[in-house]
Amino acid sequence: MNRLRAYSYLELNQPEKALQAINQYMQNAEQGKLIAQDYEYYGKILGKNNQPAKAIENMEKALQMNDANIELYADLANMYARNNQYDKAIDVYARKRKNVEPSNADYYYMGNIYMMAGEENATAKNTQKANEFFKQADETYKKVIEANPEYAYAYLWRARANASQDPETESGLAKPYYEEFIKQASGDKEKYKRDLIEANSYLGYYYYLKGERDNAIKYWTEVRTLDPANEQATAALNEISKTPSKKKK
């Protein structure tokens, strides 16, 4: 009954009660009668209670007992990432691949882990290492596009991975991916509104830096169309109106 109480409290999103129940169960149950699912739930419950190290330990035990538990790999990888163990998080997906080929969701989560690692290194001013992770994220998101070329969000993810490698927008690395995202998302502007604002803002800023006044106005105007109260677009358009366009050579 303690096992069932713990499982049920987790499903009811009551992690503190779940932890109390699972601790009581794990302390009293005979070790030989513990099953892989017990360690899985114990790990998930510990994770919900902000104990990532112990959560990882128990999830690993669960996979040792049943490495065919496909859904648990993502939970374990996420827990490693939360604990800033990004290499181990990626390794989890490599282990999963022994049982099943990666899905688009797997590539998405792997890309996110690379992005998290890159952002941590960028914050620490370790630019070279950060860019290595951002490039790996880009390559991982690319696999989603290869499987589904019309999936708009994959272009957005690639844009962000490239923008992270070019934080001053000097090279415009993200430009082609934001452009393609806008193309893919243009049929449903309400659904993609927030992300279209991001994409058009990037392109507006990119063209402003290049001195291409007309293109800058085009994209910032689209931002304001999507969000009339957007202060950044208003400020940008006001600034552009004061700046003469550079003539192309």
Side-chain angles (χ1 to χ4, degrees):
M1 290 302 297
N2 279 321
R3 169 191 280 161
L4 295 178
R5 284 177 64 237
Y7 289 13
S8 298
Y9 277 131
L10 179 63
E11 301 300 338
L12 289 169
N13 198 28
Q14 298 183 41
E16 292 180 359
K17 290 183 178 180
L19 183 60
Q20 183 178 4
I22 197 75
N23 278 335
Q24 186 174 354
Y25 168 67
M26 298 295 279
Q27 289 169 6
N28 294 332
E30 294 180 27
Q31 291 298 305
K33 292 185 177 181
L34 293 175
I35 59 176
Q37 197 173 23
D38 292 334
Y39 291 109
E40 175 186 354
Y41 268 82
Y42 195 19
K44 290 179 177 179
I45 290 167
L46 287 162
K48 289 284 187 179
N49 283 276
N50 298 314
Q51 299 183 47
K54 290 184 68 176
I56 287 168
E57 179 184 342
N58 283 277
M59 289 180 181
E60 286 285 13
K61 286 181 180 178
L63 282 176
Q64 287 172 13
M65 296 175 73
N66 177 21
D67 66 357
N69 186 351
I70 301 302
E71 294 182 358
L72 184 56
Y73 286 95
D75 291 330
L76 176 58
N78 182 56
M79 199 61 60
Y80 271 123
R82 281 178 54 188
N83 209 34
N84 300 327
Q85 295 175 277
Y86 303 112
D87 290 342
K88 289 186 177 181
I90 293 299
D91 180 64
V92 170
Y93 281 104
R95 287 154 55 189
K96 179 181 179 180
R97 197 166 189 166
K98 295 177 181 178
N99 292 282
V100 62
E101 281 298 306
S103 64
N104 279 349
D106 289 336
Y107 286 126
Y108 166 71
Y109 289 118
M110 289 169 65
N112 286 358
I113 291 167
Y114 284 129
M115 288 294 289
M116 291 167 64
E119 288 161 6
E120 182 179 271
N121 279 275
T123 300
K125 307 298 183 183
N126 190 349
T127 304
Q128 182 177 351
K129 189 67 174 177
N131 284 341
E132 289 174 5
F133 282 118
F134 291 138
K135 287 177 183 177
Q136 288 175 303
D138 181 42
E139 286 298 313
T140 304
Y141 293 140
K142 180 181 177 182
K143 295 182 184 297
V144 180
I145 294 174
E146 290 171 352
N148 189 354
E150 296 182 356
Y151 186 52
Y153 282 121
Y155 296 99
L156 180 67
W157 303 334
R158 289 200 72 183
R160 290 171 177 170
N162 280 275
S164 295
Q165 298 174 59
D166 180 29
E168 303 301 325
T169 321
E170 294 176 351
S171 303
L173 296 181
K175 176 179 176 289
Y177 306 108
Y178 274 125
E179 289 175 335
E180 186 62 29
F181 171 72
I182 290 172
K183 178 181 175 181
Q184 296 288 339
S186 61
D188 193 345
K189 291 186 178 182
E190 190 58 35
K191 174 183 176 181
Y192 297 104
K193 181 178 178 179
R194 183 182 65 180
D195 300 315
L196 282 169
I197 289 171
E198 174 187 329
N200 281 282
S201 297
Y202 176 92
L203 291 168
Y205 182 64
Y206 169 80
Y207 281 114
Y208 169 73
L209 292 179
K210 295 297 180 184
E212 296 185 29
R213 186 171 177 272
D214 291 345
N215 278 327
I217 290 173
K218 169 188 170 182
Y219 287 106
W220 283 117
T221 299
E222 179 63 15
V223 173
R224 196 160 63 179
T225 300
L226 290 163
D227 178 15
N230 191 287
E231 295 180 359
Q232 188 180 23
T234 300
L237 288 167
N238 287 338
E239 181 64 26
I240 292 167
S241 67
K242 304 173 187 177
T243 307
S245 179
K246 291 182 181 178
K247 293 181 180 181
K248 294 182 180 180
K249 296 181 179 179

